Amino acid sequence: AVSDKDATPEFLREAYGLLSRLANQQNIRIPLIGSEDFLSILVRSFSKPMLRQVSIILASNIAMDPSHRGKLALLNADILPNIEGFLKSDDEKLRYAILSLIALLGVPKDGKNDIATDDQLPDLINDIIKNDPDESCRKAADEVRVLVSELPYGPAIMGGPEDAENK
């Protein structure tokens, strides 16, 4: 029912809240990870202000799957292009939540690669590290930079630890 394309935002908000609590159980999380329709709806839900918070929480719970299947499924559902714009938000809590979700997605090598090769993400993350007025956002962005820098070509894209010390 949650992946029904005709569901109202009000229904989805309640359903995502319930699924967020249930997704901590592996037997619930696995079917969510396996449903491309559901993940597509979830990823598109970030654009709806009423669903944004519950979408972040649910996506984060899915991304915490220890096998990394949840992270990979979200990446395959094009989550990064749907959330990267929020790194420019005036709301520091939203920026921090998105950075935390990106950090979760960046744990497997595929996630690091997707972050590093995205058209905008490396620049947005580096801009937050250098210029964000919120210290927690700067630290979260730096954690993402460190994750991506683990790739052989990561430091060339994101800068190395020595670059962060000179900022």
Side-chain angles (χ1 to χ4, degrees):
V2 173
S3 60
D4 180 3
K5 292 174 176 50
D6 297 323
T8 65
E10 293 82 7
F11 174 79
L12 288 176
R13 184 178 61 207
E14 295 301 319
Y16 286 3
L18 175 62
L19 285 173
S20 290
R21 292 186 293 279
L22 295 174
N24 292 319
Q25 297 176 25
Q26 190 74 355
N27 62 336
I28 302 292
R29 189 171 45 240
I30 288 174
L32 295 177
I33 292 168
S35 174
E36 291 177 22
D37 287 339
F38 165 71
L39 293 172
S40 177
I41 299 271
L42 173 61
V43 165
R44 286 195 316 262
S45 295
F46 283 92
S47 66
K48 298 177 176 118
M50 174 189 239
L51 298 175
R52 192 166 298 133
Q53 181 180 2
V54 292
S55 297
I56 291 169
I57 294 167
L58 180 52
S60 296
N61 285 343
I62 290 170
M64 285 190 226
D65 182 62
S67 71
H68 300 310
R69 287 182 303 212
K71 296 169 185 70
L72 297 175
L74 288 166
L75 290 167
N76 290 334
D78 291 329
I79 193 170
L80 291 177
N82 284 280
I83 62 175
E84 68 187 15
F86 300 115
L87 293 176
K88 299 177 190 173
S89 171
D90 291 335
D91 181 350
E92 67 273 352
K93 290 179 183 174
L94 177 58
R95 285 194 314 275
Y96 183 79
I98 294 297
L99 284 164
S100 297
L101 178 54
I102 290 171
L104 281 171
L105 296 169
V107 170
K109 184 177 179 183
D110 301 39
K112 291 175 184 62
N113 183 65
D114 286 359
I115 292 167
T117 57
D118 186 273
D119 288 343
Q120 297 181 48
L121 248 135
D123 291 338
L124 290 170
I125 292 167
N126 283 324
D127 187 55
I128 290 172
I129 292 168
K130 292 177 189 173
N131 302 317
D132 201 282
D134 186 76
E135 183 179 354
S136 62
C137 288
R138 288 191 309 271
K139 286 181 180 179
D142 193 48
E143 289 176 23
V144 172
R145 183 195 54 76
V146 168
L147 280 171
V148 173
S149 295
E150 292 173 358
L151 291 171
Y153 54 85
I157 296 167
M158 300 295 295
E162 64 281 350
D163 291 338
E165 292 170 8
N166 297 328
K167 293 177 183 167

